[in-house]
Amino acid sequence: MSETTVTPARPANDPLAEPIRTRADAEAFIAKICFKIGPPRLAGIELERLIHDATDPTRTLTSERLASALGRWSPPILTTPSADPTALGRPLPAGSTVTVEPGGQVELSTRAWGTFADCLAAAGTDADAVRAALARSGLAVGRSGIDAHRPAGRLVEKARYAAMERYFDRDGNDAGRLMMGSTASVQLSVDAGTETGEHAFAERWRTLHAVGPALVAAFANSPIYAGAPTGWYSTRQRVWIELDPGRTSAATAGDNDPREAYARAALDARLLCLPNDSDLWDAPAGVTFADWLDGALERPATYADLDYHLSTLFPPVRAKGFLEVRYLDAQAGDDWRVPPSVLWTLLASPGTRDAALAAVEPLGPPTWPGAWARAARTGLTDEALARAASALLTLAIENADAAGLPRAVTRQITAFAERYTFRRRTPADDQLAAAKDASRTHASENHASENHAEDHPEENR
């Protein structure tokens, strides 16, 4: 048996160590652990941020410098490849934890909070603490959903990340390396909901997908990669579209039973990597988890293997017991509060949810990749997307108090909408305008220099 198919040992009485007998058993397991049913109450936020040198954002970041800046909050793996890859540093002041993505992106993850206002407050406290620590080391937090200054590169030495890199490279494009090394998002996690009734999980699932393209367009903030415009308002979303359809697709969005659809999609996704005691986690090329169940590997798949496989899926909304919304670009400064607050409000009551669904109905179903690619490419220059996005932000503003949003955050959403959405603009437009101004300034300076050289040829002798 190949050592790359050896999963680290689990306790003998661990039910996850049991082999999976049939595909039906695997689907039942996925439905049970990915959609935990109950009244929706808890909220969590994850903030991914690109990190740059404060004076030269094109400068390559080192793991040692980042670890030094994060101090006691830094995960050990950042500087010690042999460390436990799941080990974390000390919690931030409000209890959030810090992880570091392959390219050095710093991710702050709050714990699950009983009110959304508490979740926002904790995320704000901890984001400020991280930003201040980085600033003391001459580092700055990025303002985009993709690295506008540097090409993709991997900073963290981790067996999983090395295997992922090789896996995506086999597909013959650079989307995998860009995803791992150059993208950043703001994510909201919410409870799945109840079996039936006004907070039925199927309706919450449908709503989060239906509003997705309009919100991708409204919060598009990644038009420039490594110094050059890409032609997309959300290049980050383009990366996910091109990455690996079986792993990133929103194909289960319109299914009447999300549990069954999600289970089918998960089993039909290719194996990304296989954890083991060596440094080589590569999975056999082209093998899906369903293939494994059918005997494609030398040992039977266990529930622990399936549990890990589920963590390697990256759809726009990931079911992890709760629902993790992953499709929104990171925002500049403190505007990170706006996207999760809008999403939270749109889900907060059946009336607001139904109004949100009505607002996006003219867009048609959120087909993958069509509807998502259209939003990422055009932003709010698309009239239908602009109308839908304006309606969604208006709903969020009008229903913010009922959803428990702090007044200061409601004002922030209003300011964002007035600055961008209601004017058919996105944060990406600011970046593109700044790049155009910089290009004109550079051209003007070059022209002035050439004229000076012609008028004073003696200075060049």
Side-chain angles (χ1 to χ4, degrees), residues 3-93:
E3 67 176 358
T4 61
T5 64
V6 179
T7 300
R10 305 184 68 91
N13 60 349
D14 185 349
L16 291 182
E18 291 293 319
I20 304 172
R21 291 187 175 83
T22 66
R23 177 169 178 138
D25 289 343
E27 290 181 352
F29 175 82
I30 294 170
K32 178 181 178 181
I33 69 165
C34 288
F35 294 86
K36 295 186 176 177
I37 302 305
R41 185 176 64 90
L42 302 176
I45 288 175
E46 294 183 10
L47 299 178
E48 289 180 344
R49 291 292 181 84
L50 294 152
I51 308 300
H52 302 101
D53 182 89
T55 57
D56 181 6
T58 66
R59 182 178 174 186
T60 300
L61 185 65
T62 67
S63 56
E64 291 78 14
R65 185 179 182 191
L66 183 56
S68 176
L70 292 172
R72 63 187 182 277
W73 303 322
S74 176
I77 191 70
L78 193 56
T79 54
T80 309
S82 60
D84 178 357
T86 65
L88 299 171
R90 291 183 60 182
L92 290 159

Side-chain angles (χ1 to χ4, degrees), residues 47-349:
L47 299 178
E48 289 180 344
R49 291 292 181 84
L50 294 152
I51 308 300
H52 302 101
D53 182 89
T55 57
D56 181 6
T58 66
R59 182 178 174 186
T60 300
L61 185 65
T62 67
S63 56
E64 291 78 14
R65 185 179 182 191
L66 183 56
S68 176
L70 292 172
R72 63 187 182 277
W73 303 322
S74 176
I77 191 70
L78 193 56
T79 54
T80 309
S82 60
D84 178 357
T86 65
L88 299 171
R90 291 183 60 182
L92 290 159
S96 305
T97 56
V98 169
T99 53
V100 177
E101 296 298 299
Q105 307 96 310
V106 171
E107 181 175 271
L108 178 159
S109 302
T110 72
R111 65 177 180 83
W113 288 88
T115 73
F116 186 67
D118 286 341
C119 184
L120 277 176
T125 295
D126 290 342
D128 288 345
V130 169
R131 185 161 40 196
L134 294 169
R136 288 192 292 270
S137 293
L139 298 175
V141 171
R143 301 176 62 82
S144 176
I146 200 163
D147 199 323
H149 307 286
R150 302 166 302 202
R154 186 159 59 86
L155 188 75
V156 181
E157 293 299 328
K158 202 173 185 178
R160 170 176 166 130
Y161 294 156
M164 286 174 64
E165 200 170 81
R166 291 187 290 268
Y167 171 93
F168 291 123
D169 283 350
R170 288 200 296 264
D171 286 343
N173 63 46
D174 63 354
R177 288 178 182 258
L178 264 67
M179 178 275 287
M180 295 173 66
S182 295
T183 60
S185 67
V186 53
Q187 301 175 13
L188 173 70
S189 293
V190 295
D191 287 321
T194 52
E195 189 72 44
T196 58
E198 61 182 21
H199 293 297
F201 77 94
E203 287 303 302
R204 288 165 68 82
W205 180 259
R206 183 164 75 97
T207 301
L208 287 173
H209 285 87
V211 302
L215 294 184
V216 164
F219 295 112
N221 188 37
S222 51
I224 297 171
Y225 167 65
T230 65
W232 292 63
Y233 281 77
S234 177
T235 309
R236 175 186 167 274
Q237 186 62 42
R238 188 203 79 184
V239 167
W240 287 103
I241 288 167
E242 295 177 350
L243 187 62
D244 177 3
R247 176 158 270 101
T248 63
S249 162
T252 63
D255 203 282
N256 289 330
D257 189 336
R259 289 178 296 204
E260 291 184 7
Y262 197 84
R264 287 196 304 270
L267 295 180
D268 290 336
R270 291 179 293 169
L271 299 174
L272 181 65
C273 55
L274 293 172
N276 62 87
D277 294 328
S278 79
D279 293 329
L280 195 65
W281 287 22
D282 298 58
V287 176
T288 68
F289 201 93
D291 294 335
W292 194 356
L293 292 175
D294 289 339
L297 301 186
E298 294 181 23
R299 67 167 178 83
T302 67
Y303 289 101
D305 296 319
L306 179 53
D307 189 50
Y308 184 84
H309 175 68
L310 294 171
S311 76
T312 71
L313 306 180
F314 311 121
V317 183
R318 182 160 64 178
K320 300 174 63 177
F322 53 89
L323 307 181
E324 180 185 74
V325 185
R326 304 171 50 85
Y327 51 68
L328 297 171
D329 284 357
Q331 302 293 302
D334 288 333
D335 276 350
W336 63 263
R337 291 184 174 86
V338 178
S341 298
V342 169
L343 277 168
W344 175 265
T345 304
L346 296 179
L347 285 179
S349 73

